[in-house]
Amino acid sequence: MFRRIGTAVVRHPVWTIVAWLIAAVAIVATAPSLPSNSDESSFLPKSYESIKAADLQQKAFPSAFTPSAIALYQRTDGGKLSDADLKDVARITTELGDKHIDQVQKVVPGQPSKDGRYTLTLVQMDSKKAGQPVQADAAKVLRDDVKQLAKGTDLEVKLGGSAAQALDQQDSSKRGEALIGIGTFVIILVTLLIIFRAPILAFLPLLLIGVVSAIANGLIAYATKLFGLQANSSVSSILIVVLFGVGTDYFLFLMFRYRERLRAGDEPKQAMINAVDRVGEAIASAAGAVIIAFLALVLSTLGFLKQMGPALAISVTVTLIAGLTLIPAVVSLIGPKVFWPSKSWQQEPSNARFAALGRGVQRRPALTAAVSGLVLVVLSLGMLNFKATFDLASGSMPKTKESMVVQDQMQTAYSAGAAAPTDVYLSSTDGKPLDTSAFDAYAARLGAVDGVANARMSQVNKAGTTADFTVTLKYEASTDKAIEAVGRVRDVAHAGAPEGTEAVVGGMSSIYKDIDSAVNHDYRTVFPVAALLIMVILGLLLRSVVAPWYLIASVGLGFGATLGATVWIFQEAQNKPGLMFMLPVIMYLFVVAIGTDYNILMIARLREEAREGREPREAAGMALRHAGPTVAAAGFILAATFATMMLAGNALLTEMGFAVSFGIAVAAFVMAMFFTPSLTALIGHAAWWPGHADRAEPGSDTGSSPAAEDDEYQAAGRRG
């Protein structure tokens, strides 16, 4: 099949390129805009308690005051607020309300802090549009206006709250995307120039992947709108890295094999056909593993991950099609001039370093497997200390952003949980008015819960059927202690509800607790499904039921080593309370799926060498010698590309960038180069049971002379 694809594309390169350009223009011109939602509650399905509470609040208290933005005032000299200062705050609050800013429904004064150094203005916005860009726009207007109104006073004012966080997150995301894009471009360009010493070859993948990126983003926008998926600004940053990183990987897989066929004496166009034929199956299988792993995210209960899965799967699918059609068409049209001005492509290098590594694996496969396996196991021990943190807002932007400064100052000035109180909604089950005489006792029980600062009945709906009890926790909403405390509040609220009533618990801490439950569900569902489907891909590629088991086990070890190293560096060494809650899920899919690419490329080459008539150990050595440079180059570029996410300046992308780049480095330089070939050499022919994929097919044309390559291998060994 891949030979037919290669032949069709190479014979009609111009038509192939024109078809891609037409598709790009049509899709980009007609694709809908991609909205973004940063409201954490939108990530959860309706069945979770925090979402039920939010729905009940909308019905029972449609005009309830829930601040979307908070203006925090303090004196410029840091002293206590004077009566004149408080009058200025009252004036600013009134004038801010009189401006009738879009989305703003109410502007009311807040309570001064106990130490008298801070006070607040609370701003309510349309709750139906929480987390949407229009509220970030409103926060920008509010921030500018409140600072303007405070001019000429002794007050310093900062705007925080969820709408301001959405604005700061949006700005941080744009800056991060720019840095990631520039970093990715520079790394790919410089690395390809070093590898090939050919400017055309260095710029070509960036140009072609740019076309692929435009098409992929348009298709993602279509899919997001068609299936009603949630969009999040962090997805754009990840897409840049996936498209350029994975696209460059497939480009390298193809170009290394194209160069190899040219050196073997193939005519240029035939060399490209043979390259697609030889490496097409490995690229397709590698992409299939990645696509399936990403699609497994559809099983997630979190809207953010549900949207990310199809988006990334679409990106990789388009990249795969480009790798088998667009790239071969363009390169075959240019021919060997693509390597200009370098002449090194014309002669086979000694590859002495990789030949030496190959000899080491060939001679001591047991020692190689033991040492590389031990490294992975030791690093994996760190994952036992993993803890999750759920503050997505502060995780997705630097602490220096204004809304984050407000959040930190409010935790100091007020009760840590005051900025995001928990609400317990008590409703009658028979539709009759509630017995108000039980309210004080119920509030007292809630207030006595460990971790609660205070609890009070704040309001009853007009029908008298639902009461809202405001519970202020002692801890900031996203901390482990707050999440544990809200679990105890739920237990007391449910068990202590008077007869004929039922209670649901809402608020940010309740949302975070449900996100924690959702992530744990994903661990039990997404992980095994993705692993099983990747094993099926490996089984179909290798025609074996043995090899997929140890290949997926090795990649699992790579995941453990990656998470362990990330815990030690970010959680232990930097004394952080935890890592972003979604990190293990994302890391698992990236490291397992993309890490499998290198295993697939190495094992496919090992099989090819075995089909030339070599014994398992010799085939492993030759596979490392020939595929090693490709894996090393692709692994370095992809790891360095993901590392650019650390330039974004926020915890989520920094942790993700390190974890995925480290995992890919482990996958390429430990698993694919040492662990996988040494294990395959040790297991021998049994690795391919029940098929005989490592045996030459009768009458097959291998395209090279085993004796000649063996002589060359031995000569390279002597030179190395």
Side-chain angles (χ1 to χ4, degrees):
M1 179 180 79
F2 295 102
R3 174 166 286 275
R4 287 198 296 271
I5 292 172
T7 302
V9 167
V10 169
R11 285 181 179 173
H12 307 287
V14 175
W15 286 112
T16 303
I17 295 166
V18 168
W20 271 92
L21 291 175
I22 291 172
V25 171
I27 291 171
V28 171
T30 59
S33 60
L34 190 61
S36 180
N37 196 329
S38 59
D39 179 18
E40 285 92 339
S41 65
S42 68
F43 298 162
L44 289 166
K46 300 290 185 185
S47 58
Y48 281 85
E49 181 168 350
S50 59
I51 307 304
K52 289 180 179 178
D55 290 342
L56 177 60
Q57 186 249 323
Q58 286 288 327
K59 293 174 184 174
F61 308 103
S63 59
F65 190 90
T66 305
S68 300
I70 300 169
L72 179 68
Y73 304 88
Q74 66 178 126
R75 282 186 61 85
T76 52
D77 60 10
K80 286 189 177 182
L81 296 169
S82 66
D83 290 341
D85 294 330
L86 294 175
K87 286 181 181 177
D88 282 333
V89 171
R91 173 187 58 79
I92 292 169
T93 302
T94 301
E95 290 183 16
L96 202 61
D98 291 342
K99 286 181 176 291
H100 302 294
I101 297 166
D102 180 46
Q103 295 296 307
V104 173
Q105 296 177 331
K106 275 185 188 176
V107 181
V108 300
Q111 292 294 319
S113 61
K114 288 181 181 179
D115 61 9
R117 294 172 58 228
Y118 297 89
T119 193
L120 309 169
T121 292
L122 307 177
V123 181
Q124 182 183 21
M125 296 187 189
D126 185 355
S127 60
K128 293 178 182 177
K129 295 185 179 179
Q132 294 184 14
V134 287
Q135 295 206 346
D137 295 340
K140 189 176 190 311
V141 176
L142 275 168
R143 182 173 283 169
D144 292 340
D145 286 355
V146 77
K147 289 181 188 298
Q148 186 66 36
L149 291 170
K151 278 187 176 179
T153 70
D154 294 325
L155 297 170
E156 180 185 358
V157 58
K158 300 183 186 77
L159 192 76
S162 59
Q165 287 176 355
L167 171 64
D168 289 342
Q169 186 178 348
Q170 192 179 85
D171 292 341
S172 180
S173 176
K174 287 177 182 175
R175 175 182 173 274
E177 280 183 39
L179 288 171
I180 289 168
I182 294 167
T184 299
F185 186 91
V186 170
I187 285 170
I188 293 174
L189 183 64
V190 171
T191 308
L192 290 177
L193 278 170
I194 292 171
I195 292 172
F196 294 107
R197 295 186 291 280
I200 297 174
L201 209 55
F203 281 99
L204 193 58
L206 295 170
L207 180 64
L208 297 181
I209 296 166
V211 175
V212 172
S213 175
I215 293 174
N217 277 300
L219 293 175
I220 290 165
Y222 274 120
T224 301
K225 185 175 182 179
L226 182 63
F227 298 106
L229 301 170
Q230 297 292 342
N232 186 275
S233 54
S234 296
V235 174
S236 299
S237 301
I238 298 168
L239 282 176
I240 293 170
V241 178
V242 170
L243 281 164
F244 281 88
V246 174
T248 305
D249 260 12
Y250 299 160
F251 180 82
L252 284 172
F253 290 179
L254 190 67
M255 291 311 301
F256 270 93
R257 187 52 73 98
Y258 175 58
R259 187 175 66 178
E260 186 179 323
R261 296 314 309 163
L262 286 173
R263 287 168 175 167
D266 289 359
E267 181 271 330
K269 289 190 179 296
Q270 190 61 43
M272 180 54 75
I273 294 171
N274 288 340
V276 174
D277 180 36
R278 293 280 184 113
V279 84
E281 186 179 24
I283 291 176
S285 300
V290 178
I291 291 165
I292 282 178
F294 287 158
L295 284 177
L297 284 174
V298 172
L299 300 174
S300 170
T301 49
L302 293 173
F304 170 76
L305 294 177
K306 274 192 172 185
Q307 193 269 346
M308 181 186 283
L312 295 176
I314 289 168
S315 299
V316 177
T317 301
V318 178
T319 306
L320 167 63
I321 297 169
L324 296 176
T325 58
L326 181 61
I327 293 172
V330 173
V331 174
S332 68
L333 203 59
I334 300 171
K337 290 180 182 177
V338 76
F339 296 105
W340 178 89
S342 173
K343 306 250 187 217
S344 61
W345 65 271
Q346 296 174 353
Q347 55 188 354
E348 179 74 25
S350 64
N351 272 349
R353 190 170 300 165
F354 289 98
L357 293 174
R359 287 198 309 278
V361 170
Q362 180 178 340
R363 291 170 183 168
R364 298 182 182 86
L367 179 63
T368 304
V371 171
S372 54
L374 183 63
V375 169
L376 297 175
V377 170
V378 170
L379 286 173
S380 297
L381 295 176
M383 68 184 290
L384 299 175
N385 297 323
F386 171 76
K387 292 179 182 176
T389 182
F390 296 86
D391 189 358
L392 192 59
S394 63
S396 57
M397 71 184 102
K399 282 288 188 182
T400 53
K401 284 290 186 181
E402 187 171 325
S403 59
M404 292 294 97
V405 174
V406 171
Q407 179 175 290
D408 291 342
Q409 288 181 333
M410 283 193 65
Q411 288 179 39
T412 305
Y414 297 83
S415 168
T422 295
D423 289 287
V424 177
Y425 298 102
L426 187 70
S427 301
S428 64
T429 54
D430 57 7
K432 295 179 181 178
L434 294 166
D435 179 9
T436 58
S437 64
F439 285 178
D440 289 343
Y442 189 64
R445 280 196 290 272
L446 294 174
V449 173
D450 182 26
V452 171
N454 60 73
R456 61 185 175 83
M457 199 287 293
S458 54
Q459 58 184 331
V460 180
N461 69 339
K462 289 181 181 178
T465 54
T466 300
D468 175 11
F469 292 81
T470 300
V471 178
T472 304
L473 302 178
K474 295 178 180 178
Y475 318 108
E476 195 275 320
S478 64
T479 61
D480 287 342
K481 287 184 177 180
I483 293 167
E484 290 168 4
V486 87
R488 294 190 289 271
V489 169
R490 281 184 177 182
D491 292 340
V492 171
H494 297 160
E499 188 176 349
T501 67
E502 62 180 5
V504 290
V505 181
M508 289 310 303
S509 293
S510 185
I511 288 171
Y512 290 135
K513 181 168 181 59
D514 285 342
I515 288 176
D516 188 28
S517 300
V519 170
N520 289 329
H521 165 271
D522 291 350
Y523 290 160
R524 297 189 300 270
T525 307
V526 177
F527 281 24
V529 167
L532 181 63
L533 293 174
I534 290 173
M535 284 182 66
V536 170
I537 290 280
L538 291 170
L540 292 173
L541 168 68
L542 304 174
R543 281 79 167 171
S544 166
V545 296
V546 175
W549 284 99
Y550 68 82
L551 288 175
I552 204 70
S554 71
V555 177
L557 266 178
F559 164 77
T562 303
L563 182 55
T566 308
V567 167
W568 275 333
I569 290 174
F570 288 92
Q571 190 175 298
E572 305 294 335
Q574 297 184 22
N575 199 29
K576 286 189 174 182
L579 303 176
M580 290 307 297
F581 68 91
M582 65 182 73
L583 187 65
V585 176
I586 293 171
M587 188 195 308
Y588 174 85
L589 292 164
F590 277 92
V591 174
V592 171
I594 297 178
T596 304
D597 280 12
Y598 305 122
N599 265 345
I600 287 175
L601 187 69
M602 185 62 73
I603 202 78
R605 186 63 191 236
L606 195 152
R607 179 186 62 182
E608 189 177 321
E609 297 296 338
R611 283 176 172 174
E612 301 284 359
R614 296 181 174 86
E615 286 303 307
R617 293 193 179 197
E618 185 187 1
M622 288 296 289
L624 182 51
R625 183 201 170 195
H626 285 299
T630 310
V631 169
F636 173 79
I637 287 179
L638 192 59
T641 301
F642 271 102
T644 60
M645 293 170 71
M646 298 173 70
L647 299 172
N650 67 65
L652 173 61
L653 292 179
T654 298
E655 291 171 8
M656 193 186 300
F658 170 81
V660 177
S661 61
F662 184 87
I664 287 167
V666 167
F669 296 100
V670 179
M671 291 188 299
M673 284 201 189
F674 298 106
F675 197 61
T676 296
S678 59
L679 271 182
T680 307
L682 280 173
I683 296 170
H685 293 297
W688 309 96
W689 185 87
H692 300 287
D694 62 331
R695 307 295 174 87
E697 297 177 10
S700 64
D701 178 16
T702 61
S704 64
S705 165
E709 283 202 6
D710 188 50
D711 289 343
E712 188 177 355
Y713 175 72
Q714 298 299 334
R718 288 192 294 274
R719 290 192 297 272

